[in-house]
Amino acid sequence: AYINTSETLYNEEKARAIEEMDTKYETEKKQQQIELQESQIEARDAKIQQQKTLRNALIAGLLAFVLIIVIVILAYVQKRRDNRKIKEKNDQILEANEELTVLNEAISRQNNEIMDSISYAQRIQSAMMPPEGYFNELLDEAFILYKPRDIVSGDFFWIRQVNQYIVLAAADCTGHGVPGAFMSLLGISYLNEIVQRREITQAGAILNELRRQIKNSLRQHGQPDETKDGIDMALCAIDQKNRTMQYAGAFNPLYLIREEKGNAELIEFKADRMPLGYHHGKDKAFSNHEIKLEIGDTFYIFSDGFIDQKGGPNQKKFMSKKFKNLLLGIHDLPLFDQKNILEKTLTTWMGDEEQIDDILVSGIRI
């Protein structure tokens, strides 16, 4: 009975052990299945996440590609638009350049025509004025420094012989260039008529008649809308027989340099303060100065161009005082040398300054 009981107990314990082993196996098996399922789920989730990441990357790449395509297209469109505008601008510039070329050619032709006309006018003006050599034929010794600011000049010189008188003048017309040249031709023509044809040889009377002729020609009667053009002039009439000279001046004076006991003296004969033309106030007769000449006397008539020329270190006018001192310093030299010195002095004085007016200086030695 004990043995049976022991076997029974042994069998029961063995059955319980087997049952516990079965339970433990089943439990472990289920745990493995659970872990396998969880691993599969994690793998599936990782795959899904990977697919999402890949999809998002593809979408982002596609969007970036589309954006790049859009930017390229927009840039291409803008570039074409810009190229079109540039072409339009270039066409406009080309057209403007062609028009400018045509205009420049027209201006050049016009300038050439104007210059040809002015050059021809200069030849006419030169033909109407006596050559410098003619002065030396009529006078013992003379020079003329004549420098127009432009091609033609408002300054002019003039000389004629009538019987025993030699009448000469240095004149400065209103303006310079073409307007001044017109006035100079008018003055020369009237001097020829008054002195050469009518044989008026008194200096003051010549200026009185010349003023009357100019006022009549320009219809100057004192009205506000009239021209105020006129002529400034220094005029001398040398009486070769009696060795005297008359001088009359419209704004332009006469400088006479004479040696007295080895000392040079400059005598200024002042001009009347009125032009050959209209001026405010009643016309008065021009003063007629009588001068007894002596051998060696040197006198100068001139326009205001030399005196008014700006230059020097301070860009100021040359002024009459400096001009007188210059003449006193060179008066005893040959007149040809005097002319050269005056010209060199003027050039040095001007430096880089432009000539501001016509320049005329005439020197005569008795």
Side-chain angles (χ1 to χ4, degrees):
Y2 173 77
I3 294 173
N4 290 332
T5 303
S6 296
E7 287 180 355
T8 301
L9 289 171
Y10 173 78
N11 290 331
E12 289 179 355
E13 287 178 358
K14 187 176 179 181
R16 274 198 307 270
I18 293 171
E19 184 178 356
E20 287 176 357
M21 289 179 63
D22 289 338
T23 302
K24 184 177 179 181
Y25 172 76
E26 291 294 330
T27 301
E28 289 179 353
K29 186 178 179 181
K30 288 181 179 180
Q31 183 65 35
Q32 288 178 352
Q33 289 177 347
I34 291 171
E35 289 176 356
L36 179 61
Q37 289 177 351
E38 288 178 350
S39 175
Q40 290 175 347
I41 291 171
E42 288 178 358
R44 184 188 62 191
D45 291 343
K47 187 176 181 180
I48 291 171
Q49 184 63 38
Q50 185 179 13
Q51 290 175 344
K52 286 183 178 180
T53 302
L54 180 60
R55 182 191 63 191
N56 292 339
L58 289 173
I59 292 172
L62 181 61
L63 290 176
F65 179 75
V66 171
L67 181 61
I68 292 171
I69 294 298
V70 170
I71 292 173
V72 170
I73 292 173
L74 291 176
Y76 175 74
V77 171
Q78 183 64 38
K79 186 175 181 180
R80 288 196 61 182
R81 187 181 295 115
D82 292 341
N83 289 340
R84 192 182 305 113
K85 290 181 179 180
I86 292 172
K87 185 177 182 304
E88 291 174 358
K89 290 291 184 183
N90 288 338
D91 291 342
Q92 292 174 1
I93 292 171
L94 183 61
E95 185 178 355
N97 286 337
E98 291 175 353
E99 292 176 355
L100 185 60
T101 300
V102 173
L103 181 60
N104 286 335
E105 290 175 353
I107 292 173
S108 179
R109 285 195 301 271
Q110 189 175 31
N111 286 339
N112 290 336
E113 291 173 359
I114 291 172
M115 291 302 298
D116 289 343
S117 297
I118 293 175
S119 297
Y120 189 73
Q122 189 267 340
R123 290 197 294 272
I124 294 173
Q125 186 181 39
S126 297
M128 293 192 69
M129 288 191 292
E132 187 173 355
Y134 187 56
F135 274 71
N136 290 312
E137 289 180 15
L138 297 181
L139 302 166
D140 294 328
E141 193 178 0
F143 80 82
I144 297 169
L145 175 62
Y146 177 61
K147 295 179 71 67
R149 197 198 81 162
D150 303 311
I151 297 174
V152 290
S153 174
D155 287 3
F156 70 89
F157 51 90
W158 181 89
I159 188 170
R160 285 291 185 276
Q161 182 171 14
V162 178
N163 302 321
Q164 69 196 53
Y165 293 94
I166 297 174
V167 183
L168 63 151
D172 182 359
C173 301
T174 301
H176 41 73
V178 175
F182 274 113
M183 284 297 297
S184 74
L185 297 181
L186 195 66
I188 291 169
S189 298
Y190 285 143
L191 282 172
N192 288 336
E193 178 188 349
I194 294 166
V195 177
Q196 190 169 15
R197 190 177 69 81
R198 296 169 59 184
E199 296 189 353
I200 298 174
T201 54
Q202 203 241 22
I206 293 171
L207 293 194
N208 291 333
E209 182 61 19
L210 183 55
R211 176 176 59 189
R212 187 186 69 81
Q213 296 264 27
I214 289 173
K215 290 177 68 175
N216 286 341
S217 295
L218 300 180
R219 295 181 175 85
Q220 294 177 338
H221 305 293
Q223 300 302 317
D225 58 344
E226 293 175 351
T227 63
K228 301 298 186 291
D229 297 318
I231 302 176
D232 299 339
M233 182 180 291
L235 185 138
C236 301
I238 301 173
D239 184 343
Q240 294 179 299
K241 182 177 179 181
N242 297 308
R243 202 177 292 278
T244 61
M245 180 172 70
Q246 304 166 46
Y247 157 75
F251 282 116
N252 288 356
L254 165 76
Y255 291 169
L256 173 67
I257 299 180
R258 177 174 292 168
E259 293 279 351
E260 291 287 350
K261 298 179 181 179
N263 294 321
E265 179 186 7
L266 188 149
I267 306 167
E268 179 179 358
F269 293 88
K270 294 186 179 296
D272 292 308
R273 304 294 296 173
M274 49 187 179
L276 298 169
Y278 175 78
H279 75 110
H280 297 290
K282 186 178 180 180
D283 286 345
K284 297 179 181 179
F286 284 95
S287 303
N288 192 72
H289 301 269
E290 293 275 355
I291 304 168
K292 182 66 176 177
L293 296 175
E294 298 179 6
I295 298 296
D297 283 350
T298 306
F299 66 91
Y300 304 88
I301 52 178
F302 45 87
S303 67
D304 59 3
F306 199 113
I307 292 171
D308 288 344
Q309 178 60 48
K310 291 183 178 181
N314 299 316
Q315 309 302 314
K316 292 184 177 181
K317 292 182 179 181
F318 195 84
M319 303 302 290
S320 58
K321 182 178 179 180
K322 194 183 273 85
F323 185 58
K324 290 176 182 178
N325 290 333
L326 175 60
L327 294 178
L328 276 169
I330 65 173
H331 78 281
D332 56 343
L333 297 176
L335 293 189
F336 177 79
D337 293 336
Q338 292 188 37
K339 176 182 177 180
N340 289 336
I341 291 172
L342 285 170
E343 192 161 13
K344 289 178 181 178
T345 301
L346 179 65
T347 300
T348 302
W349 176 257
M350 288 172 60
D352 295 330
E353 284 289 309
E354 293 184 355
Q355 184 175 334
I356 63 174
D357 199 0
D358 301 316
I359 293 172
L360 171 62
V361 181
S362 179
I364 298 92
R365 177 171 291 151
I366 301 304

